[in-house]
């Protein structure tokens, strides 16, 4: 318990009212410093701010004045270490980086007053001091955000972001050296603080960021340095190196040139605690070893050398396992032919994600597949679900997406939905998906063919805006080049273009065909293929086509829409669905043209002049083809394949 309590730490920024200079010290033997209290520099250049005496305060400031102005920016980095003398849950004091008008504080008090203020001047608006504080344990003597020091403008637990989602806690009282970066942008009026172990490069995400105008403080400031004080129990506060730059970026410290810390013999004043400390150490060392051995197989992953290039796109299986609570059924939010989808909350960052588990056919081609997944992860569009990254484990591939709170569109269209969408929402959804597909096909650096457009892969955010998701089957190729053929036909019944079953080639035109089926599904509230009985299916595109032939196409709308709808918009989307569902790829419009149609920027062509599809039920099955390589083909569908290629050259469309 003692060690757990030592691990409770915070960091805060306290603000009291409101010629370019640069220096760097790897050790302080020849540094130009003004020191008072117990502060001293050891023979190897180590700056020690406190000693073993209680309630003492020590300071060390750069002796030369720094000429700040009210528009100044500054950057500083330093390496420090806090070594407590007693492993107890009490006040170990505070260390702070300070910018102030003076380097002398004769009446200052220790502990929560930082060795800078006292009871009389605490809170005085004329102080003009900036302090970035580091303290090792909580006490409840003051009204700080974290119950620890002066009233801070902001505070946060100490730690660092290994990447966007993995937050690593830090124990400031561990006795190990830590590096801090403090940066203030005078133009943006923003200060940021970043902390990391000495062997870790500066994280891209700061630990703490605060928008604050420091112009009044800097206009009155002249000195930079450190102030440190012990509390009821003692800790030795060390500074190993320091770099500062006014109106620029501070020079990087070289860890190899920093002075070494003395051997850590903490607790030497408390021999009674040695047996307990030894027992705790044995337990703490033994338990992780046993735990790692038992769980190594459970969380084992496939990580090959070439994957190191993908950096933060690779998620740890353990993190995804924890996020989804062990992939338990209660977290299951979707299930399809290519895998199950689980809701999860990433440990540390608390970001909600959707994790899809899919099986790749073999390890052959995995490198190319992952390369495409990582490339697709760079897609950014308001109507696309962001693919955040992936994880590989044994025969599984896990894809990680942003979580959409309102789920997939299909649950609002089929099986007597509890919540139905009005026409305005549906029309906005169709335009959103069209815009996302136009981006994939024409506006990104590569051509991306989604290959699995359907209502269940259209997700809705908190405001029911459409986001096309599930890029597990997507493929990309360069603009101006020809798409490759695939080993298997993949997709979903009812959305497959007829040419895919013969050529096994994925193209933007096959995506347009699937989008046409999707448009009819959204307007009609019916699936592209519905089983009536064992021997009969209703093909949605045939049904809508017959109504159009009769001049009754508006009757295809979903009865759940009621009577409040603009008939011209419904007719537009239905006709566009028929146009996109043409049996001949050349007759299908591009997605850019589809967006123009939906925005009423140009009129639809006359459908009667196009070869669309057969009104024969058997031939329509041939148009849709096979949904994936593992599906069984019913006998009444097999017969249609031989007809489709002939039908494409013979059909003349409707009236």
């Amino acid at each position: 318990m003692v060690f757990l309590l030592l691990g409770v730490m915070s960091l805060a920024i306290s603000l009291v009212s409101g010629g370019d200079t640069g220096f760097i010290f790897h050790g302080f033997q020849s540094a130009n410093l003004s020191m008072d209290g117990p502060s001293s520099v050891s023979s190897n250049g180590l700056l020690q701010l406190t000693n073993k005496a209680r309630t003492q305060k020590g300071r060390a400031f750069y002796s030369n004045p720094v000429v700040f102005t009210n528009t100044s920016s500054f950057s500083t980095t330093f390496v420090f270490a806090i070594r407590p003398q007693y492993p107890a849950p009490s006040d170990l004091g505070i260390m702070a980086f300070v910018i102030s008008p003076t380097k002398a504080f004769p009446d200052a008090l220790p502990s929560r007053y930082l060795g800078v203020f006292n009871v009389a001047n605490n809170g005085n608006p004329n102080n003009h001091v900036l302090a970035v504080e580091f303290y090792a344990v909580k006490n409840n003597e003051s009204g700080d955000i974290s119950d620890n020091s002066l009233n801070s403008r902001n505070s946060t637990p100490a730690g660092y972001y290994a990447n966007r989602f993995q937050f690593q806690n830090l124990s400031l009282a561990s006795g190990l050296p830590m590096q801090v970066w403090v940066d203030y942008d005078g133009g943006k009026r923003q200060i940021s603080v970043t902390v990391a172990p000495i062997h870790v490069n500066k994280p891209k995400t700061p630990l703490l960021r605060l928008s604050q105008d420091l112009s009044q403080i800097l206009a009155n400031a002249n000195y930079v340095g450190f102030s440190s004080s012990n509390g009821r129990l003692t800790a030795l506060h060390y500074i190993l190196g320091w770099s500062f730059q006014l109106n620029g970026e501070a020079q990087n410290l070289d860890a190899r040139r920093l002075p070494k810390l003395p051997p850590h013999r903490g607790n030497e004043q408390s021999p009674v605690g040695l047996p307990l400390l030894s027992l705790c150490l044995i337990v703490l060392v033994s338990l992780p070893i046993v735990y790692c051995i038992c769980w190594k197989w459970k969380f084992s992953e496939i990580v090959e050398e070439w994957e190191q290039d993908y950096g933060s796109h690779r998620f740890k299986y353990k993190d995804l396992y924890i996020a989804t609570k062990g992939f338990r059924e209660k977290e299951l939010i979707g299930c399809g032919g290519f895998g199950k989808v689980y809701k999860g909350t990433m440990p540390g960052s608390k970001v909600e994600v959707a994790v899809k588990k899919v099986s790749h056919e073999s390890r052959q081609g995995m490198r190319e597949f992952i390369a495409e997944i990582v490339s697709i992860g760079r897609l950014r569009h308001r109507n696309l679900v962001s693919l955040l990254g992936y994880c590989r484990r044994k025969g599984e591939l896990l894809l990680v997406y942003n979580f959409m709170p309102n789920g997939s569109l299909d649950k609002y269209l089929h099986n007597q939905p509890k919540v139905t969408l009005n026409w305005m929402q549906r029309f906005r959804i169709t335009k959103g998906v069209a815009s996302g597909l136009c981006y994939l096909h024409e506006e990104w650096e590569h051509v991306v063919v989604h290959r699995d457009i359907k209502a269940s892969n259209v997700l809705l955010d908190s405001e029911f805006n459409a986001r096309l998701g599930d890029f597990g089957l997507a493929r990309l190729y360069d603009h101006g080049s020809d798409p490759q053929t695939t080993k298997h036909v993949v997709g979903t019944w009812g959305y497959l273009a007829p040419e895919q079953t013969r050529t096994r080639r994925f193209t933007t035109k096959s995506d347009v065909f699937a989008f046409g089926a999707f448009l009819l599904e959204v307007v009609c509230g019916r699936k592209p293929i519905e089983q009536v009985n064992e021997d009969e299916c209703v093909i949605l595109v045939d049904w809508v086509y017959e109504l159009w032939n009769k001049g009754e196409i508006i009757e295809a709308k979903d009865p759940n829409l009621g009577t409040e709808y603009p008939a011209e918009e419904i007719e537009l989307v239905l006709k566009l669905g028929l146009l996109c569902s043409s049996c001949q790829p050349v007759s299908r419009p591009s997605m850019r043209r589809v967006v123009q149609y939906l925005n009423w920027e140009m009129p639809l062509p006359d459908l009667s002049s196009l070869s669309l599809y057969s009104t024969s039920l058997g031939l329509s099955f041939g148009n849709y083809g096979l949904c994936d390589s593992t599906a069984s083909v019913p006998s009444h569908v097999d017969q249609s394949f031989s007809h489709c290629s002939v039908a494409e050259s013979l059909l003349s469309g409707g009236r």
Side-chain angles (χ1 to χ4, degrees):
M1 178 177 290
V2 171
F3 286 99
L4 289 175
L5 288 170
L6 276 178
V8 180
M9 291 150 296
S10 295
L11 176 155
I13 294 180
S14 292
L15 300 177
V16 183
S17 188
D20 296 348
T21 297
F23 55 80
I24 184 169
F25 299 127
H26 290 92
F28 297 88
Q29 279 182 317
S30 58
N32 185 16
L33 298 180
S34 296
M35 297 183 289
D36 62 8
S39 299
S40 62
V41 177
S42 66
S43 59
N44 70 338
L46 191 65
L47 174 59
Q48 182 175 322
L49 296 173
T50 60
N51 57 22
K52 297 179 181 179
R54 299 179 182 179
T55 63
Q56 292 295 310
K57 56 186 183 294
R59 289 179 292 267
F61 278 81
Y62 184 59
S63 295
N64 297 334
V66 178
V67 183
F68 289 99
T69 68
N70 58 3
T71 61
S72 292
S73 299
F74 68 84
S75 171
T76 188
T77 180
F78 55 89
V79 176
F80 76 97
I82 298 176
R83 289 194 164 175
Q85 299 302 293
Y86 297 98
S90 187
D91 181 8
L92 295 177
I94 300 175
M95 189 190 77
F97 168 74
V98 178
I99 297 179
S100 74
T102 179
K103 54 187 176 181
F105 303 89
D107 300 320
L109 296 176
S111 190
R112 68 190 183 97
Y113 292 99
L114 310 180
V116 176
F117 306 108
N118 55 44
V119 176
N121 64 15
N122 181 22
N124 188 329
N126 297 317
N127 285 330
H128 298 113
V129 174
L130 166 71
V132 181
E133 313 160 32
F134 303 86
Y135 36 86
V137 294
K138 293 185 178 181
N139 77 57
N140 298 313
E141 292 183 354
S142 69
D144 186 40
I145 295 173
S146 54
D147 299 329
N148 249 303
S149 76
L150 301 172
N151 292 330
S152 300
R153 294 293 172 89
N154 205 346
S155 68
T156 186
Y160 67 101
Y161 290 92
N163 55 45
R164 289 186 299 171
F165 303 104
Q166 293 179 316
F167 182 79
Q168 304 289 335
N169 290 310
L170 284 177
S171 173
L172 299 185
S174 66
L176 301 175
M178 309 282 178
Q179 186 163 3
V180 176
W181 296 264
V182 180
D183 301 285
Y184 175 68
D185 188 325
K188 295 181 179 179
R189 302 291 194 264
Q190 187 175 79
I191 187 169
S192 64
V193 180
T194 308
V195 183
I198 192 172
H199 61 275
V200 174
N201 293 331
K202 183 179 180 181
K204 294 182 179 179
T205 302
L207 172 63
L208 186 151
R209 183 183 281 118
L210 175 67
S211 294
Q212 183 69 43
D213 185 0
L214 302 183
S215 58
Q216 188 177 7
I217 293 175
L218 296 180
N220 293 275
N222 292 290
Y223 295 97
V224 294
F226 301 92
S227 179
S228 188
S229 64
N230 274 325
R232 289 186 294 271
L233 293 180
T234 61
L236 302 181
H237 298 176
Y238 297 101
I239 305 293
L240 288 74
W242 182 22
S243 173
F244 180 88
Q245 182 64 52
L246 185 66
N247 298 320
E249 185 175 357
Q251 299 181 62
N252 293 327
L253 294 171
D254 186 349
R256 296 169 298 182
R257 298 174 57 191
L258 298 177
K260 302 298 182 183
L261 289 166
H264 189 23
R265 299 186 301 271
N267 222 25
E268 58 187 10
Q269 299 179 14
S270 181
V272 177
L274 284 176
L276 179 60
L277 176 60
S278 300
L279 179 61
C280 290
L281 287 174
I282 293 173
V283 172
L284 288 174
V285 171
S286 301
L287 284 179
I289 294 174
V290 174
Y291 179 85
C292 289
I293 293 174
C294 294
W295 289 76
K296 183 177 180 180
W297 181 88
K298 186 176 183 66
F299 295 120
S300 61
E301 302 177 35
I302 301 172
V303 183
E304 298 181 16
E305 185 177 352
W306 53 265
E307 291 185 79
Q308 304 302 320
D309 298 335
Y310 299 138
S312 60
H313 291 285
R314 172 89 192 217
F315 283 81
K316 291 183 178 179
Y317 178 77
K318 182 178 180 181
D319 290 339
L320 300 182
Y321 185 90
I322 295 172
T324 59
K325 300 178 182 177
F327 296 100
R328 66 179 185 180
E329 290 298 310
K330 191 174 181 180
E331 304 303 317
L332 185 65
I333 57 176
C335 186
F338 298 96
K340 294 182 178 180
V341 184
Y342 298 85
K343 177 185 177 183
T345 303
M346 295 302 297
S349 66
K350 304 303 179 185
V351 172
E352 288 188 324
V353 296
V355 183
K356 183 166 187 178
K357 300 176 74 173
V358 298
S359 296
H360 196 268
E361 60 244 24
S362 69
R363 291 187 63 187
Q364 185 178 10
M366 177 61 79
R367 181 170 185 169
E368 291 76 13
F369 183 70
I370 295 297
E372 290 196 350
I373 287 295
V374 172
S375 183
I376 290 170
R378 302 200 311 271
L379 292 169
R380 292 294 180 269
H381 189 274
R382 64 183 178 277
N383 296 113
L384 301 179
V385 178
S386 295
L387 175 60
L388 304 177
Y390 75 98
C391 173
R392 280 205 298 148
R393 178 180 179 268
K394 298 184 172 70
E396 289 182 327
L397 180 67
L398 295 91
L399 305 178
V400 185
Y401 300 87
N402 274 338
F403 175 72
M404 294 291 109
N406 279 318
S408 58
L409 174 62
D410 61 323
K411 73 178 184 180
Y412 299 94
L413 299 176
H414 309 307
N415 302 323
Q416 298 180 337
K418 296 180 181 179
V419 178
T420 58
L421 303 177
N422 60 39
W423 174 249
M424 183 176 66
Q425 291 172 315
R426 298 191 196 201
F427 194 43
R428 187 172 71 242
I429 286 170
T430 60
K431 292 196 290 185
V433 176
S435 177
L437 277 174
C438 181
Y439 170 79
L440 294 178
H441 290 179
E442 302 184 34
E443 298 173 359
W444 196 51
E445 60 190 60
H446 297 290
V447 178
V448 180
V449 181
H450 188 277
R451 298 206 302 170
D452 201 18
I453 300 164
K454 57 184 178 181
S456 60
N457 284 339
V458 174
L459 304 178
L460 305 177
D461 63 17
S462 58
E463 298 179 351
F464 285 90
N465 295 307
R467 292 176 182 260
L468 181 60
D470 198 343
F471 288 85
L473 298 180
R475 290 293 181 269
L476 53 88
Y477 56 92
D478 293 331
H479 288 279
S481 63
D482 293 328
Q484 299 176 346
T485 58
T486 58
K487 183 178 180 181
H488 300 296
V489 178
V490 295
T492 304
W493 280 99
Y495 303 89
L496 281 172
E499 68 273 9
Q500 287 180 277
T501 60
R502 304 187 316 280
T503 66
R504 300 186 186 277
R505 187 183 298 272
F506 53 92
T507 68
T508 56
K509 291 296 186 179
S510 57
D511 267 1
V512 174
F513 185 94
F515 181 75
F518 167 77
L519 288 180
L520 299 181
E521 184 177 10
V522 172
V523 180
C524 303
R526 301 176 62 169
K527 296 179 181 179
I529 299 178
E530 290 186 340
Q531 192 84 28
V532 178
N533 51 52
E534 292 184 0
D535 301 320
E536 183 181 1
C537 289
V538 174
I539 309 301
L540 181 58
V541 66
D542 274 353
W543 180 67
V544 176
Y545 180 69
E546 290 174 3
L547 290 174
W548 173 72
N549 263 325
K550 297 176 182 178
E552 301 172 353
I553 193 170
I554 200 70
E555 298 301 318
K557 69 173 181 62
D558 187 350
N560 289 324
L561 286 175
T563 57
E564 298 294 330
Y565 56 84
E568 64 276 8
E569 288 182 355
I570 290 182
E571 184 174 352
L572 167 71
V573 177
L574 287 171
K575 288 182 177 180
L576 183 56
L578 293 178
L579 178 64
C580 292
S581 299
S582 171
C583 196
Q584 296 184 359
V586 69
S587 299
R588 301 170 202 154
S590 67
M591 285 310 303
R592 183 173 298 279
R593 186 61 56 87
V594 168
V595 171
Q596 292 173 333
Y597 291 147
L598 289 172
N599 289 327
W600 298 97
E601 295 174 2
M602 61 188 312
L604 278 173
D606 183 6
L607 299 187
S608 61
S609 65
L610 300 173
S611 296
L612 298 177
Y613 22 65
S614 170
T615 56
S616 163
L617 188 59
L619 294 181
S620 292
F621 270 111
N623 291 352
Y624 289 116
L626 184 63
C627 85
D628 66 51
S629 60
T630 62
S632 60
V633 185
S635 58
H636 60 278
V637 178
D638 284 339
Q639 299 173 3
S640 66
F641 291 147
S642 61
H643 298 294
C644 186
S645 59
V646 178
E648 288 181 11
S649 61
L650 297 179
L651 296 180
S652 58
R655 51 176 181 155

